[in-house]
Amino acid sequence: MSMKSIAVRDHYGPVGLITGAASGIGAAFARRLAAEGMALALVDRDAAGLAALAQELRASTGVSVDVLAGDLTDSQFVQQLTDLADTREIGLVVHSAGITSMGEFLEMPLEPQLKAVELHCVVTARLMHAFGRPMRARGRGGLVLLSSNSAILRAPFVANYAATKAYTLALGEALYEELRQQGVDVLALVPGMTDTPMTANMLKAEAMREAAGKQYPLGGVQTAAQVAEVIAWLLGDGAARITGQV
């Protein structure tokens, strides 16, 4: 599947910024964009993982890849990222960074839960606001927000994660309505259980893997590469007549 039919660089702009890019869905979509010739700014707290991916992409595609290693729950680091909106034409933002923990809400420490609120809600708002404004002014751009199917399901044992991802989904759906007539594409994605480093501990339990696999008619837990293909299709002209939920 290719996004070349919409000339991704021309359609959105020269640079794509991806958070959570060192692994999982973020890394998979970085590979898709690099294959289309889009320069990348990759963000993650895993500096070694980012460096390895950047080296791979430069060698395999020849695209320019900038590495921005840091913790997105650090407000000063987020400010460094949002400052890029004033100095570079970021045409596509894919916010896929996420953190989760599993257990009864009242039994888990509060601080990690508040970090999830910071990352999934506050940082999401800051990134969409900072990069969305120049996109609207230019009349082109794309914002991709990674939510979760837990945002629309009863989700015991991931209560805080589900609540924060509901914010991500609601913001994305609202921004779609606000920006769709102004040249800015907004995609709020709600993937089910995906085999990534973030879900690795949960999927170690065979019962959890089997239950997650039953969500899909074809069976099995989906891969990050499969989610990246869906994102690519939704951003391409194959989905041009889809204006709501898929």
Side-chain angles (χ1 to χ4, degrees):
M1 182 187 304
S2 173
M3 293 183 288
K4 286 184 179 177
S5 56
I6 64 165
V8 63
R9 284 174 56 94
D10 295 334
H11 188 74
Y12 291 116
V15 183
L17 183 144
I18 304 176
T19 71
S23 62
I25 295 170
F29 197 61
R31 292 185 177 97
R32 290 293 288 104
L33 285 181
E36 302 295 341
M38 192 174 214
L40 297 172
L42 304 181
V43 182
D44 205 291
R45 61 184 178 182
D46 178 2
L50 277 185
L53 179 61
Q55 183 177 10
E56 171 198 326
L57 296 180
R58 292 178 189 128
S60 62
T61 69
V63 300
S64 171
V65 182
D66 291 332
V67 169
L68 303 160
D71 187 344
L72 283 167
T73 62
D74 177 346
S75 62
Q76 290 185 335
F77 178 65
V78 176
Q79 186 63 53
Q80 293 176 27
L81 294 185
T82 56
D83 285 346
L84 291 175
D86 298 324
T87 59
R88 301 187 68 181
E89 184 179 346
I90 305 294
L92 185 64
V93 174
V94 181
H95 184 33
S96 66
I99 50 178
T100 188
S101 53
M102 192 171 183
E104 293 186 27
F105 177 74
L106 297 180
E107 298 301 320
M108 293 191 293
L110 182 59
E111 189 59 32
Q113 308 304 316
L114 295 180
K115 281 199 175 278
V117 173
E118 178 74 18
L119 177 58
H120 300 154
C121 300
V122 178
V123 173
T124 299
R126 291 182 66 181
L127 293 177
M128 297 306 109
H129 192 269
F131 292 105
R133 286 167 66 89
M135 288 179 186
R136 183 183 62 181
R138 291 191 298 265
R140 68 171 184 171
L143 302 169
V144 180
L145 300 84
L146 269 290
S147 182
S148 164
N149 68 349
S150 64
I152 54 177
L153 302 172
R154 285 180 294 177
F157 309 112
V158 288
N160 185 70
Y161 176 81
T164 62
K165 287 299 187 176
Y167 170 83
T168 303
L169 177 59
L171 180 64
E173 290 180 331
L175 288 178
Y176 166 78
E177 292 293 342
E178 292 181 10
L179 296 173
R180 66 194 183 106
Q181 299 297 329
Q182 301 187 60
V184 181
D185 295 337
V186 182
L187 172 62
L189 200 70
V190 184
M193 183 66 77
T194 306
D195 196 349
T196 69
M198 191 176 75
T199 62
N201 287 333
M202 286 187 281
L203 291 174
K204 283 179 181 177
E206 188 59 34
M208 174 64 78
R209 181 175 285 274
E210 183 178 346
K214 289 179 179 177
Q215 296 179 36
Y216 310 106
L218 297 178
V221 176
Q222 64 191 357
T223 67
Q226 288 170 327
V227 176
E229 288 295 318
V230 172
I231 298 173
W233 181 75
L234 289 170
L235 292 175
D237 60 3
R241 303 304 299 174
I242 294 176
T243 58
Q245 295 182 341
V246 179

